[in-house]
Amino acid sequence: MQLTTEHEELRRVIRRFIDAEINPYVEQWERDQLFPAHEVFKKMGALGLLGITKPVKFGGLGLDYSYGAILDETTAYINCGGVPMATGVQTDMATPALARLGSDELRREFLAPSIAGELVACVGVSEPGAGSDVAAIATRARRQGGDYVIDGTKMWITNGTQADWMCMLANTSDGPPHRNKSLLCVPLKEGGKRAPGVTVARKLRKLGMHSSDTAEIHFEDVRVPARNLIGEEGRGFIYQMVQFQEERMYAALNAATACQRTIEATIDYTRQRQAFGRPVLDNQVIHFRLAELMTEVEALRALVWQAVEVYVQGGDCTKLASMAKLKAGRLVREVNDACLQYWGGMGYMEETPVSRSFRDGRLLSIGGGTDEMMLGIIAKYLGILPGKPR
Ligand SMILES: Cc1cc2nc3c(=O)[nH]c(=O)nc-3n(C[C@H](O)[C@H](O)[C@H](O)COP(=O)(O)OP(=O)(O)OC[C@H]3O[C@@H](n4cnc5c(N)ncnc54)[C@H](O)[C@@H]3O)c2cc1C
């Protein structure tokens, strides 16, 4: 895809913001196991960074997804995975369906303040009993008069302890599992306090992504007005499958730059580290391997930008986005493992960036659809997936 001077200027703005407002605080946020989402998002909102692809009418910049892709790539310059992931939730996971299909009233209430960074969003698909098998979710939103009444539990929710609202997938009828679901905007707070019936049951402790908060959230008789429905009732499964495409492109775009940074840091380290009288980098087994991995990174980047181009042109990017997400999950693991090895003992130390990348990056093959789910989608698009009984 041909990038313009506007794309590059946007990249420069984001890099400057990260250097001034995020990276100086990352070590503290990693130690705290929490970053201040409201504070950071307000600053990003003021620069327009949370609404790059969103309609101008609701405070967005109204640009096409290629500009959003620049944000997704560039947040990999943040010195941890948790903050980029939280930002990705706000821009590419919790708000795309609302921006496209929500009523004006709903978009004024939830989208506009999320673009401004006044509200923190989260996306609630996964549950204790259903992650990969999205159709098997058990949370119910029963229609009662002018309201939906919600009961259920959402699991592994990024931004979950801080979020003001959730883009929730719930069962709104007893029909077939792909046609009984709807997407709803569910407020998690009311007047600065927890909304009635909403409980953040646990802040989950994780292998990595420490500055990002992850929660289990319970809903018991939670009432939301029926007007909080996004689009049409019963079409939530399909809407969520479409919404996943931005999430998967975000993941692959971010991963490509993260891998590039890890390889570059490894080149710097191995160039100055001496063993047997010469730089570690001067061993052919090492510089060839790094050259090979950087080639893989460029191949991933080309693949994901191909998906972005199809999406910008209004085509179905599902196959390419799934391929890019799969490749990203696998490449991140390969790059982090190989590079950590070349850092030797220092690679195993908490203080080195490669050890953080190793922990944070492992999520990519799991979150937003596992590698195995990506393979299933790709096989389906290739016409080689046997029929599934359901
Ligand atoms: C840090 C973190 C943040 C997250 N953030 C969010 C969030 O904000 N919102 C949200 O909704 N979810 C979130 N998730 C959940 C994430 O999307 C799920 O963990 C993921 O989709 C996998 O679901 P699962 O954990 O239930 O795995 P399972 O579905 O239990 O699968 C376990 C394993 O079995 C494999 N498997 C399952 N079925 C098959 C099959 N048919 N063939 C082959 N292999 C199969 C899977 O690929 C996987 O490897 C997050 C998870 C984590 C860890």
Side-chain angles (χ1 to χ4, degrees), residues 85 89 93 122-133 154-159 206 208-209 212 214 244 247 363 365-373:
M85 177 167 73
V89 167
M93 303 179 209
C122 65
V123 60
V125 176
S126 307
E127 300 184 357
S132 302
D133 189 0
K154 292 291 173 182
M155 186 66 173
W156 303 298
I157 303 306
T158 301
N159 297 345
K206 307 189 292 294
M209 297 290 194
S212 156
T214 314
F244 273 140
E247 173 166 356
L363 178 62
S365 284
I366 298 169
T370 62
D371 286 2
E372 293 74 20
M373 295 306 108

Side-chain angles (χ1 to χ4, degrees), residues 223-241:
R223 279 187 178 270
V224 301
R227 64 179 168 77
N228 284 21
L229 178 73
I230 298 173
E232 288 173 40
E233 190 176 284
R235 293 184 58 79
F237 185 85
I238 294 166
Y239 295 160
Q240 184 53 40
M241 291 303 125

Side-chain angles (χ1 to χ4, degrees), residues 263-306:
I263 296 168
E264 286 168 354
T266 304
I267 291 170
D268 288 347
Y269 180 77
T270 54
R271 182 175 275 136
Q272 59 80 27
R273 178 76 179 168
Q274 299 278 320
F276 302 101
R278 61 178 180 167
V280 167
L281 182 63
D282 285 358
N283 293 287
Q284 194 184 62
V285 69
I286 295 180
H287 59 251
F288 269 25
R289 181 71 176 131
L290 293 174
E292 188 178 343
L293 289 170
M294 200 62 111
T295 306
E296 292 281 316
V297 168
E298 289 304 340
L300 168 62
R301 190 170 279 141
L303 175 59
V304 65
W305 274 98
Q306 206 186 327

Side-chain angles (χ1 to χ4, degrees), residues 85-112:
M85 177 167 73
T87 309
V89 167
Q90 186 88 354
T91 56
D92 289 29
M93 303 179 209
T95 49
L98 173 63
R100 218 162 34 89
L101 303 156
S103 67
D104 278 6
E105 191 182 7
L106 207 54
R107 289 189 288 182
R108 267 193 299 275
E109 190 176 344
F110 292 97
L111 183 63

